[in-house]
């Protein structure tokens, strides 16, 4: 099937005929607008270009590093994230969608990579640092959480990915993977591929803020999101609560655009740039109320989300088909991961019986 067409696994060695894309999401909640502009849109573009072998991984092992006490949440969201994928247009005939915990090569690769990383290096990772502060771990950081960037290196390298479409928060993790690959290749020989991050061109899409405006980004774990699955009423409710300019008390007051989440979203999602420029000018001059701008943002977002919502409802009618798609994808991904693992073992001289 797809796999054989795209990747040749010959005598345990993967020969890639084309570029490989890998990325993933933690099943810690449903996917939101940050995922959509930060990563999903880029994956779709590369998937649809036909030039890439695409792998998308549902990172349940990673989600458990900070949700180990809530396994039902992680389990339920594996299915929700899969539905979100199908809803936005990831196509299982062109993208292999797999479940991290069902791929035994990944923890094995992680163990080998852990030797190539120092604890101090993991503690310096700015994204991990921010997350540790947000989650209030203080001195009780689960070892698995601190090390998740290493397991992410296993995720990225199992298929020898060249490109990883991600939001800006992932850049430190990508750098960590690149360091591991360089270190592995220099000690054991050229086996792994150094991946490149693919991030969106606009700052708003690279790190979409949450609706409260105070957190560093929209995030499932922070509860500040607009979700792809939100119905029309929920969408409006979330836009209604959105942070604007706290100094803009009366309609006639001049308002601020900078840090005003409604305008950030219009810059990211709006297409009528002339009208948005006009709204901005009016808002700054005074005389334009927040509600009017929010209603326009609602129109813009609803137009983008309505078809996604509809496709999601359609796929949700057949949960068995979604699970089957995940089973097939994981099986195909395991073949690739096991082939890489064989190469890794040989390079590390632990392939004792040939
Ligand atoms: P969690 O809070 O559990 O970490 P999350 O909302 O940060 O969840 P992830 O699953 O960690 O989502 O991220 C999946 C992908 O989506 C990554 O590539 C990440 O960079 C991207 N992403 C997540 N949030 C945003 C955002 N607000 N803006 C741009 N990209 C984002
Ligand atoms: Mg995250």
């Amino acid at each position: 099937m797809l796999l054989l067409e795209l990747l040749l696994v010959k005598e345990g060695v993967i020969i890639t005929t084309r570029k490989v894309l890998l990325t993933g999401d933690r099943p810690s909640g449903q996917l939101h607008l940050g995922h959509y502009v930060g990563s999903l849109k880029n994956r779709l573009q590369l998937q649809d270009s036909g030039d890439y072998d695409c792998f998308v991984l549902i990172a349940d092992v990673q989600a458990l590093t900070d949700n180990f006490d809530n396994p039902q949440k992680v389990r339920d969201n594996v299915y929700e994230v899969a539905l979100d994928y199908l809803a936005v247009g990831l196509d299982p005939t062109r993208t292999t969608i797999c479940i991290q915990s069902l791929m035994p090569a990944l923890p094995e690769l992680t163990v080998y990579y852990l030797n190539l990383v120092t604890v101090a290096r993991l503690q310096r990772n700015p994204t991990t640092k921010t997350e540790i502060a947000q989650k209030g771990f203080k001195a009780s950081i689960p070892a698995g959480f601190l090390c998740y960037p290493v397991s992410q290196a296993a995720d990225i390298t199992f298929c020898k990915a060249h490109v990883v479409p991600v939001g800006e928060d992932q850049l430190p993790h990508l750098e960590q993977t690149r360091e591991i690959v360089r270190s592995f290749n220099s000690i054991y020989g050229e086996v792994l591929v150094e991946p490149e991050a693919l991030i969106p061109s606009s700052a708003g899409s690279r790190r979409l803020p949450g609706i409260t405006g105070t957190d560093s980004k929209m995030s499932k774990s922070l509860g500040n999101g607009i979700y792809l699955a939100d119905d029309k009423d929920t969408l409006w409710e979330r836009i209604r609560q959105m942070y604007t300019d706290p100094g803009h008390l009366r309609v006639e007051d001049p308002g601020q655009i900078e840090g005003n989440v409604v305008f950030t979203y219009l810059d990211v999602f709006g297409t009528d740039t002339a009208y948005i420029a006009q709204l901005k000018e009016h808002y700054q001059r005074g005389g334009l109320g927040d509600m009017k701008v929010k209603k326009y943002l609602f129109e813009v977002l609803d137009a983008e989300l309505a078809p996604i919502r509809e496709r999601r409802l359609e796929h949700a009618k057949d949960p068995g088909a979604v699970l089957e798609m995940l089973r097939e994808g994981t099986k195909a991904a395991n073949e690739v991961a096991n082939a890489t693992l064989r190469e890794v073992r040989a390079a590390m001289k632990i392939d004792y019986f040939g």
Side-chain angles (χ1 to χ4, degrees):
M1 55 160 259
L2 165 83
L3 184 70
L4 296 177
E5 234 174 74
L6 305 179
L7 283 173
L8 298 175
V9 182
K10 210 175 166 186
E11 287 162 14
V13 175
I14 298 178
I15 305 156
T16 48
T17 50
R18 303 177 324 140
K19 292 262 180 196
V20 179
L21 173 156
L22 174 126
T23 191
D25 307 278
R26 293 153 42 93
S28 48
Q30 294 177 335
L31 298 186
H32 52 60
L33 289 179
H35 301 109
Y36 186 57
V37 294
S39 173
L40 289 166
K41 278 188 160 184
N42 273 339
R43 325 178 182 174
L44 287 168
Q45 203 184 347
L46 298 194
Q47 169 194 270
D48 296 345
S49 74
D51 297 334
Y52 289 80
D53 298 347
C54 301
F55 293 86
V56 171
L57 179 114
I58 303 184
D60 58 343
V61 176
Q62 191 184 122
L64 282 165
T65 61
D66 55 328
N67 293 283
F68 51 85
D69 51 353
N70 199 350
Q72 193 63 44
K73 170 177 152 187
V74 174
R75 184 187 177 95
D76 293 345
N77 281 303
V78 168
Y79 173 71
E80 296 295 327
V81 167
L83 271 184
D84 286 326
Y85 288 162
L86 296 171
V88 294
L90 284 183
D91 171 2
T93 66
R94 289 178 292 168
T95 292
T96 303
I97 299 174
C98 51
I99 301 179
Q100 189 184 28
S101 64
L102 296 179
M103 300 179 62
L106 299 179
E108 186 170 337
L109 289 172
T110 305
V111 168
Y112 303 144
Y113 296 169
L114 278 167
N115 298 330
L116 309 175
V117 180
T118 65
V119 173
R121 172 68 182 88
L122 291 169
Q123 286 169 331
R124 272 202 310 275
N125 182 315
T127 295
T128 319
K129 266 188 181 166
T130 307
E131 290 170 343
I132 286 168
Q134 280 168 348
K135 292 170 202 299
F137 284 144
K138 299 205 170 85
S140 309
I141 308 164
F145 187 82
L146 189 67
C147 297
Y148 88 69
V150 182
S151 94
Q152 208 166 299
D155 304 339
I156 294 171
T157 53
F158 89 75
C159 56
K160 303 190 177 178
H162 300 97
V163 61
V164 187
V166 281
E168 197 175 58
D169 61 302
Q170 294 297 308
L171 291 180
H173 299 339
L174 250 292
E175 197 40 49
Q176 177 69 85
T177 295
R178 289 163 59 85
E179 285 173 27
I180 289 172
V181 168
R182 283 199 294 269
S183 179
F184 185 99
N185 286 350
S186 77
I187 298 169
Y188 304 113
E190 289 287 321
V191 173
L192 305 175
V193 169
E194 214 176 306
E196 301 279 346
L198 174 66
I199 58 169
S201 50
S202 90
S205 297
R206 284 198 291 271
R207 186 184 288 267
L208 191 76
I211 57 170
T212 54
T214 45
D215 307 313
S216 61
K217 73 171 194 70
M218 181 178 287
S219 177
K220 294 185 225 97
S221 306
L222 298 174
N224 60 5
I226 292 180
Y227 293 85
L228 299 178
D230 284 346
D231 61 22
K232 253 179 146 73
D233 290 346
T234 312
L235 175 63
W236 170 243
E237 192 45 36
R238 294 196 196 264
I239 293 175
R240 211 183 52 75
Q241 297 163 357
M242 211 174 243
Y243 180 86
T244 55
D245 167 11
H248 186 237
L249 297 175
R250 289 164 308 177
V251 172
E252 57 272 26
D253 291 340
Q256 273 209 34
I257 302 296
E258 299 75 32
N260 185 322
V261 177
V262 178
F263 282 100
T264 307
Y265 279 47
L266 281 179
D267 282 338
V268 170
F269 293 96
T271 48
D272 190 345
T273 46
Y275 181 62
I276 293 168
Q278 208 180 311
L279 283 179
K280 283 183 179 171
E281 191 276 321
H282 193 173
Y283 193 83
Q284 284 171 308
R285 178 160 37 93
L288 179 60
D290 283 329
M291 272 305 149
K292 190 161 176 202
V293 193
K294 286 185 171 181
K295 280 188 178 145
Y296 178 60
L297 177 62
F298 173 75
E299 276 173 40
V300 167
L301 286 182
D302 194 50
E304 186 101 28
L305 292 179
I308 296 176
R309 210 183 284 142
E310 271 169 38
R311 279 198 298 269
R312 200 179 195 282
L313 289 171
E314 219 26 64
H315 287 290
K317 287 181 188 160
D318 193 353
V322 178
L323 290 181
E324 195 46 38
M325 177 276 286
L326 290 173
R327 190 203 303 268
E328 289 270 310
T330 304
K331 188 167 172 246
N334 265 324
E335 285 179 35
V336 177
N338 291 337
T340 299
L341 185 60
R342 278 195 292 275
E343 283 182 74
V344 162
R345 283 186 182 150
M348 294 181 70
K349 305 198 181 303
I350 52 176
D351 58 337
Y352 302 106
F353 308 116

